[in-house]
Amino acid sequence: MLLTLFLLGCPPPDPSDTECFVPSAVQGLVLDMDGNAIPGARVVTDAGETTSDEQGGFTSPAGEGNRWVMAEKEGYLSRTRPAAPGERVLLRLSPDDGDTFTLVFGGDSMFTRRYQDPDEDGRIDDALIRPSLARADTMELLSDIEPLLSSATLTGITLEGPLVQDADPHPSKEYLFENPPDVAWALADAGIDLVNLATSHTYDFLDAGVQSTLSHLEAAGLVGFGAGLDYESAWGPQIIIRDNHTLGLVACSTISGESEDPSF
């Protein structure tokens, strides 16, 4: 099951906004995969929780702005999805039959550049991710989407740039991405399990950057794939066994970072 979800509807808080930040309830339905109502499901938002009725309907406690809605019931896999004010939410629950598991994948992610120097003035005293507090600061940035990241059997992202510190940069690349190594533990804290490394920036800090990235991911309990110190390990699939299921992961990129246009 591939879930591609976006939290849309409300901009950042604005005192003049009269819709997104007026307390409102979320209404919706909890159904099974055949469209049948699931009564008695527990439905949770950040404003509180409620229970679905005989028709599968629910009305949450009032809350402000966008929010995550999670529904669960014994015998089913839980489901988490976003909701905006005034939106009716449909949550379809798959049976927990031992043969079904859920996957969530995110896109390109990095924790450098403007996160460490928001106004690009060379000073980092206003950094959103401070190198010495990278784990806590990164987790703070991810906290709003942690309910989704942690809701699946396995969750993966693509990491743009290595997890490295004080390594020699690529000698001819103009744009270099250098994520603080402690970001690895924040990714794990947020519920991420898998990290795709097949990007044009993984080799920004040469072999040392690749080795550092793989080492920190492993130390944090994460599975990195799509990169290695030789072609065999980079191309070879990572085999994951979870809940009696076997999953093979392969990632590739057309850009190795060695011979192509190095500016990016």
Side-chain angles (χ1 to χ4, degrees), residues 138-217:
T138 301
M139 187 59 210
E140 177 67 21
L141 288 173
L142 294 174
S143 62
D144 284 342
I145 58 172
E146 184 274 334
L148 175 62
L149 297 176
S150 62
S151 69
T153 308
L154 291 170
T155 296
I157 64 164
T158 294
L159 181 65
E160 283 283 357
L163 298 163
V164 67
Q165 187 174 13
D166 299 328
D168 293 331
H170 193 291
S172 57
K173 292 190 72 172
E174 180 179 359
Y175 300 107
L176 302 169
F177 296 169
E178 182 181 11
N179 297 288
D182 284 353
V183 163
W185 280 267
L187 299 180
D189 293 342
I192 293 167
D193 308 284
L194 316 171
V195 180
N196 169 29
L197 300 172
T199 79
S200 60
H201 286 284
T202 296
Y203 203 60
D204 280 4
F205 289 83
L206 308 175
D207 287 351
V210 175
Q211 181 62 66
S212 175
T213 301
L214 294 171
S215 297
H216 282 94
L217 292 178

Side-chain angles (χ1 to χ4, degrees), residues 21 37 42 64 82 92 104 149 152 163 168 173 182 206 255 259 262:
F21 299 97
R42 178 173 175 252
E64 295 184 352
R92 291 187 180 274
V104 168
L149 297 176
L163 298 163
D168 293 331
K173 292 190 72 172
D182 284 353
L206 308 175
I255 300 171
S259 59

Side-chain angles (χ1 to χ4, degrees), residues 101-163:
F101 66 100
T102 56
L103 303 174
V104 168
F105 283 101
D108 291 358
S109 306
M110 66 173 173
F111 306 89
T112 180
R113 299 186 72 188
R114 295 180 185 88
Y115 290 105
Q116 296 183 38
D117 186 5
D119 48 14
E120 299 184 294
D121 63 356
R123 297 171 52 192
I124 61 171
D125 54 342
D126 56 353
L128 296 174
I129 298 179
R130 296 160 291 182
S132 62
L133 295 170
R135 180 175 182 172
D137 288 348
T138 301
M139 187 59 210
E140 177 67 21
L141 288 173
L142 294 174
S143 62
D144 284 342
I145 58 172
E146 184 274 334
L148 175 62
L149 297 176
S150 62
S151 69
T153 308
L154 291 170
T155 296
I157 64 164
T158 294
L159 181 65
E160 283 283 357
L163 298 163

